[in-house]
Amino acid sequence: MRLYRKEGNTIQILSFPTEDIEKGEYLLIQDSKRNRSLVIQVIDIQFANIPGILEELLRNSTDDKHIYGENLDPLEVAPHITYIQDARMLVCKIRGTIQNGKLSINTAWLPSRSQSNIKKLPVASLLAQAKISKSRPINLGETRELSSITIDAHMLDGKLNIVTGKKETGKSHLAKLLVLGLIDYGAPVVVLDLNGEYTRLGFSSNDEKNEYHKKVRVLTPGDNFKITLAQMNLRVMMNILFHALDLPGTSAREFRRIWRFLKNRDTLTMHELGETIRNRQCNLHVRDALYSRYYSLLNSGFFTDNHAEATSLEENFHSMQSGGALIINLQDISSIDRQVVVEFMLGKLVELLTQRKLRAVFLFAEEAHLYLRETYWDDIVTRMRHFGVFTTFVTNQPNTIRENIYRQADNIFLFNFTNEHDLEAVSRAAKVDAETVKSVARDLLPHHCLVLGKVVKDFPIVVKVKALDIQTMGQTRLFFTDDN
């Protein structure tokens, strides 16, 4: 390999057919005279644009069967021409400098074109140079060189993470791997499970209970997850009425009076709430609006007056002191009921964190745009993050996540995308240049992801995600199967 040219932070390397290089790999340009080495990453591979190559290809494309005679090559030029025709140009991005055995982000120098030596830089060596902590390792998988890739759970703590890619590329699989890794280190995890993909985390692939069985609790709203009004404060209820049930402002003021009236009398139950609304002396339209919302809450099955069947999140989190996951199964409930449950969960988490009943919690949100109200995006990134809610968004529609979320994301786990609009949305991330995202992500194989952010010290790494011995769930149900 030879150094060809540099423009901005892009370097072009001339590579020959015998050199096996792929997108995402790292190279080291060693300048022995200056005792420095430039760390670069291959983001694209092209054929070298050599003068006269088009003419030579056209000449060789002539149909030989119409030409009679003997091919003579006394100087044996043909193999060299073929070698030149297959030469490649590696488009690379500068990632840092190694000087005196230390890795830095200094890119304000240029190695010698004639004296430098270029070789592959194994990812394991790069990460060792970057001194990535492994005090709480989570094994993600392996690199192309078959070296193991681990990240530190510390780098997920207090961070905003995004897992994205098109369908059936392995997003949820990686999210499950992260969930189980956090559980291993005693972290409490809450998963907003839209499609029931996490409900069997406690079982191995052969349907036997695994080591996580006692640490994973699945809560299905209306079934084993019900609450009483006494478990909810007025602010959370108003959020539900405003954002999930679209209660008008005039009716909201009347509801506050009713709530406080029942609270002061210590009769805050669904039954008493319904009776009070029905007998309330107020504007007819206001009463009708309140009554229709009351029936929406009642019909959701999420609320109960029976304290024996009510679920205590405090007790659930207390039982998870050594690590565990609450899977909120949102699979078979309506979109409105889904929003009601999510509003309650997020409000309750903030309440427990504010009261110091919960130290912190890792929240995994699958396809959050389907149930998370618009104003919560900024809330999660700023206010709730300071309270101790550390969120990981999992989505196959990257354009549903706001641009400011991408810019503030600490870590991004990017799977394959081919759609230009999707790639454009993800490329807004501040952790890497847009060219790397667009070029590398387009050619990622299934179950391979490009890891960006603090977990890899801002060095983009392509990882083949390891398999898990759990019941995966979430597969698309098919009509045509091998059994039919």
Side-chain angles (χ1 to χ4, degrees):
M1 288 180 282
R2 300 296 299 271
L3 176 58
Y4 174 56
R5 64 182 295 185
K6 176 184 181 293
E7 186 174 342
N9 71 333
T10 302
I11 281 189
Q12 293 183 354
I13 301 292
L14 186 62
S15 174
F16 300 102
T18 55
E19 296 165 328
D20 183 22
I21 305 293
E22 288 191 5
K23 276 187 184 183
E25 292 190 316
Y26 279 86
L27 303 176
L28 195 64
I29 306 177
Q30 297 174 312
D31 191 331
S32 55
K33 287 189 175 181
R34 304 177 70 174
N35 195 27
R36 281 181 175 181
S37 299
L38 201 63
V39 178
I40 61 176
Q41 185 179 26
V42 180
I43 66 165
D44 198 12
I45 302 175
Q46 307 169 356
F47 282 112
N49 187 16
I50 301 168
I53 198 72
L54 179 59
E55 180 183 349
E56 188 65 30
L57 289 172
L58 290 172
R59 185 181 294 115
N60 290 342
S61 66
T62 305
D63 194 348
D64 291 338
K65 67 182 180 181
H66 297 299
I67 299 176
Y68 302 96
E70 184 179 356
N71 289 326
L72 297 177
D73 186 13
L75 300 178
E76 298 183 350
V77 175
H80 296 284
I81 294 176
T82 303
Y83 193 76
I84 292 172
Q85 287 177 349
D86 288 336
R88 290 162 170 78
M89 191 66 70
L90 309 180
V91 181
C92 309
K93 288 292 182 180
I94 301 173
R95 301 301 184 202
T97 295
I98 297 178
Q99 185 171 14
N100 299 324
K102 294 183 179 180
L103 179 63
S104 69
I105 59 172
N106 176 24
T107 59
W109 70 286
L110 191 62
S112 168
R113 178 185 278 175
S114 59
Q115 302 297 321
S116 60
N117 176 46
I118 304 175
K119 66 176 185 179
K120 282 188 179 183
L121 177 61
V123 171
S125 300
L126 173 66
L127 297 182
Q129 288 279 355
K131 296 181 179 179
I132 293 179
S133 172
K134 295 183 180 180
S135 60
R136 288 181 171 84
I138 298 176
N139 186 4
L140 292 186
E142 61 186 22
T143 65
R144 184 170 178 257
E145 302 106 19
L146 303 182
S147 61
S148 177
I149 289 292
T150 59
I151 63 173
D152 196 331
H154 274 301
M155 291 296 101
L156 301 175
D157 193 8
K159 305 298 188 293
L160 174 65
N161 312 298
I162 297 174
V163 181
T164 187
K166 66 183 182 183
K167 290 178 65 176
E168 299 180 353
T169 53
K171 303 181 306 299
S172 295
H173 181 85
L174 175 66
K176 293 168 190 172
L177 192 155
L178 296 177
V179 168
L180 297 179
L182 290 168
I183 292 175
D184 285 336
Y185 296 112
V189 181
V190 173
V191 180
L192 301 177
D193 186 5
L194 188 66
N195 299 309
E197 296 184 53
Y198 298 77
T199 56
R200 303 290 288 179
L201 278 182
F203 294 86
S204 59
S205 54
N206 59 4
D207 204 27
E208 294 182 356
K209 295 178 181 179
N210 61 23
E211 60 187 294
Y212 300 101
H213 185 265
K214 292 184 178 180
K215 295 187 175 184
V216 176
R217 176 94 188 269
V218 180
L219 298 180
T220 303
D223 183 16
N224 66 338
F225 186 19
K226 297 181 180 182
I227 63 167
T228 64
L229 292 184
Q231 294 175 266
M232 181 183 294
N233 61 44
L234 178 58
R235 182 182 59 81
V236 175
M237 177 56 82
M238 295 312 299
N239 284 339
I240 290 174
L241 294 174
F242 272 129
H243 302 292
L245 301 178
D246 295 321
L247 183 68
T250 305
S251 302
R253 286 192 291 273
E254 188 63 32
F255 183 86
R256 286 191 183 94
R257 297 188 190 101
I258 294 173
W259 182 281
R260 289 172 180 139
F261 170 73
L262 295 175
K263 186 82 171 177
N264 292 334
R265 293 181 56 188
D266 199 24
T267 57
L268 189 58
T269 64
M270 287 296 291
H271 174 74
E272 288 297 324
L273 179 62
E275 287 298 307
T276 304
I277 293 174
R278 187 167 64 88
N279 298 318
R280 191 75 170 178
Q281 297 298 318
C282 62
N283 182 280
L284 179 62
H285 296 294
V286 170
R287 187 166 65 236
D288 287 345
L290 291 176
Y291 216 56
S292 66
R293 271 67 176 187
Y294 166 76
Y295 267 107
S296 294
L297 296 176
L298 191 65
N299 293 333
S300 70
F302 185 52
F303 296 90
T304 181
D305 287 338
N306 185 354
H307 290 272
E309 65 178 5
T311 302
S312 170
L313 289 182
E314 291 92 333
E315 292 178 3
N316 276 282
F317 282 119
H318 183 74
S319 66
M320 292 163 48
Q321 288 184 341
S322 59
L326 285 183
I327 312 298
I328 311 301
N329 183 13
L330 304 174
Q331 183 178 17
D332 296 320
I333 63 176
S334 69
S335 59
I336 292 178
D337 292 346
R338 197 183 296 148
Q339 291 180 56
V340 170
V341 174
V342 171
E343 288 284 353
F344 168 76
M345 281 300 304
L346 294 179
K348 194 65 177 179
L349 288 176
V350 170
E351 178 186 322
L352 295 176
L353 290 164
T354 304
Q355 296 173 357
R356 302 289 181 179
K357 293 181 179 179
L358 187 61
R359 184 175 178 180
V361 65
F362 293 86
L363 176 67
F364 283 72
E366 283 262 358
E367 304 300 343
H369 63 280
L370 295 177
Y371 50 79
L372 203 62
R373 60 181 164 90
E374 196 70 15
T375 54
Y376 251 131
W377 292 103
D378 292 325
D379 222 20
I380 281 180
V381 175
T382 54
R383 189 176 67 90
M384 295 182 70
R385 193 174 181 181
H386 289 296
F387 280 128
V389 180
F390 310 138
T391 308
T392 298
F393 292 114
V394 186
T395 183
N396 58 23
Q397 299 182 50
N399 60 336
T400 60
I401 297 178
R402 287 184 175 184
E403 182 176 343
N404 67 317
I405 304 294
Y406 281 111
R407 293 195 179 279
Q408 296 183 65
D410 298 290
N411 302 298
I412 297 179
F413 301 87
L414 177 59
F415 288 80
N416 176 269
F417 276 121
T418 52
N419 184 282
E420 288 293 336
H421 295 293
D422 292 334
L423 290 168
E424 185 66 36
V426 183
S427 67
R428 298 167 186 162
K431 293 297 178 183
V432 72
D433 58 279
E435 292 173 80
T436 297
V437 170
K438 292 179 180 179
S439 181
V440 177
R442 186 182 285 110
D443 293 327
L444 288 172
L445 296 172
H447 299 287
H448 287 67
C449 77
L450 179 65
V451 184
L452 310 167
K454 294 183 178 179
V455 289
V456 287
K457 290 285 185 75
D458 293 328
F459 290 99
I461 304 292
V462 176
V463 179
K464 180 183 179 182
V465 181
K466 73 171 187 176
L468 287 173
D469 183 24
I470 58 170
Q471 286 195 11
T472 54
M473 307 299 290
Q475 299 101 327
T476 302
R477 184 183 300 177
L478 302 176
F479 176 79
F480 296 106
T481 63
D482 294 337
D483 297 332
N484 290 342

